[in-house]
Amino acid sequence: MDDITIQTVLVARNYLYRALQAVLGEDPTEEMLSVLFSETTDMALECFAGAESGAYAAARADLQRCREACEGNRGAYLEAAKRDYMHVLVGPHELKAPPWECVYLTNERVLFQEATLKVREAYRSQNMLPTQYPHVSDDHIAIELDFMAKLSAKCQAAFEAGEAGEYRRLLETQRGFLKEHLLVWVERYADDLAEDAPGSLYACVGKLCAAFLPLDFELAGELLALGEDAADAGE
């Protein structure tokens, strides 16, 4: 992988984390749908298409079906997305797919548990906290994805600036956060979204999260290994 290819995948992963965070963290809008169903998203997703992942291929096919449905009647699709957003992410009823890590780790529908504090400590270690702290539970899926997006942007900037040590540190931090947090629960969360709102935008994006995050974990490991090989070659 040469420097141009590395930069391309760094841009792609930053973009995808931000796009996924927007869908799961914000009210659906015309602009959000336009971004998600854009050629730019297609190009970012294509950067990970070489991985042998049936789940990722299936998730991309589902996203294409959502895109076609949106293009068929954008107004109706947006209204359906707004209803589904309230149903799966807001309430006021009890959410069948609770978007908080601690619920999946403890099987208790109580927020601000020990698991939440561990997520908060991960944010603090990078001098970050949610903008609505301490009034929101830090382990919400959208906040965790936002953390990954911010670290991805910093990682890209460090690579472009030639800051090898910071670049490696950020990749290692992201791999650690994926392993200790998001990858522990995102697949079950995606399954619950699919059961609660089958065929919806949110079922589709949940499936894409569950397929993309393991690939990004592996990619970050490959990028770290490339850095080690380069260091060995230079000795």
Side-chain angles (χ1 to χ4, degrees):
M1 213 186 289
D2 59 25
D3 283 0
I4 293 176
T5 305
I6 292 173
Q7 185 173 22
T8 299
V9 297
L10 291 175
V11 171
R13 64 196 297 268
N14 180 17
Y15 177 91
L16 290 174
Y17 275 116
R18 180 55 59 209
L20 295 171
Q21 183 276 333
V23 176
L24 294 171
E26 303 170 15
D27 292 332
T29 63
E30 182 79 31
E31 181 181 6
M32 184 265 280
L33 293 178
S34 294
V35 170
L36 182 64
F37 298 135
S38 68
E39 295 300 322
T40 305
T41 299
D42 287 343
M43 289 189 292
L45 290 168
E46 188 63 28
C47 288
F48 295 82
E52 295 182 2
S53 171
Y56 188 67
R60 290 190 69 188
D62 277 2
L63 185 66
Q64 180 60 28
R65 283 191 284 272
C66 285
R67 180 176 181 172
E68 291 169 356
C70 181
E71 291 172 348
N73 190 329
R74 185 169 289 268
Y77 193 86
L78 178 58
E79 289 306 309
K82 289 179 178 178
R83 291 193 299 271
D84 289 335
Y85 178 79
M86 294 297 295
H87 176 71
V88 302
L89 284 159
V90 180
H93 56 276
E94 182 175 87
L95 301 180
K96 294 182 179 179
W100 299 281
E101 177 183 328
C102 62
V103 176
Y104 286 88
L105 265 58
T106 64
N107 295 315
E108 297 178 4
R109 288 180 171 268
V110 180
L111 302 184
F112 297 101
Q113 301 182 52
E114 182 180 354
T116 310
L117 299 179
K118 290 180 179 179
V119 173
R120 183 177 300 170
E121 183 55 36
Y123 299 160
R124 280 180 167 159
S125 73
Q126 303 303 310
N127 298 313
M128 298 182 199
L129 276 178
T131 54
Q132 297 183 54
Y133 168 84
H135 305 296
V136 297
S137 189
D138 310 58
D139 56 347
H140 190 286
I141 182 68
I143 299 177
E144 294 194 0
L145 290 171
D146 181 66
F147 180 60
M148 290 295 294
K150 286 183 167 65
L151 291 181
S152 295
K154 289 176 178 289
C155 188
Q156 178 189 335
F159 177 80
E160 292 170 353
E163 299 170 353
E166 179 67 359
Y167 167 69
R168 288 183 56 79
R169 185 191 71 80
L170 288 162
L171 284 173
E172 289 168 350
T173 299
Q174 288 189 283
R175 287 194 94 224
F177 191 78
L178 284 168
K179 181 178 181 179
E180 296 168 16
H181 298 288
L182 278 161
L183 291 179
V184 175
W185 68 288
V186 70
E187 185 173 356
R188 285 178 291 162
Y189 175 61
D191 288 343
D192 286 347
L193 279 175
E195 183 176 343
D196 190 32
S200 70
L201 172 67
Y202 297 94
C204 173
V205 169
K207 186 174 182 178
L208 185 58
C209 277
F212 165 66
L213 297 185
L215 296 185
D216 190 55
F217 178 81
E218 295 300 326
L219 172 67
E222 292 174 16
L223 292 174
L224 283 167
L226 284 173
E228 290 175 357
D229 291 344
D232 290 343
E235 291 177 352

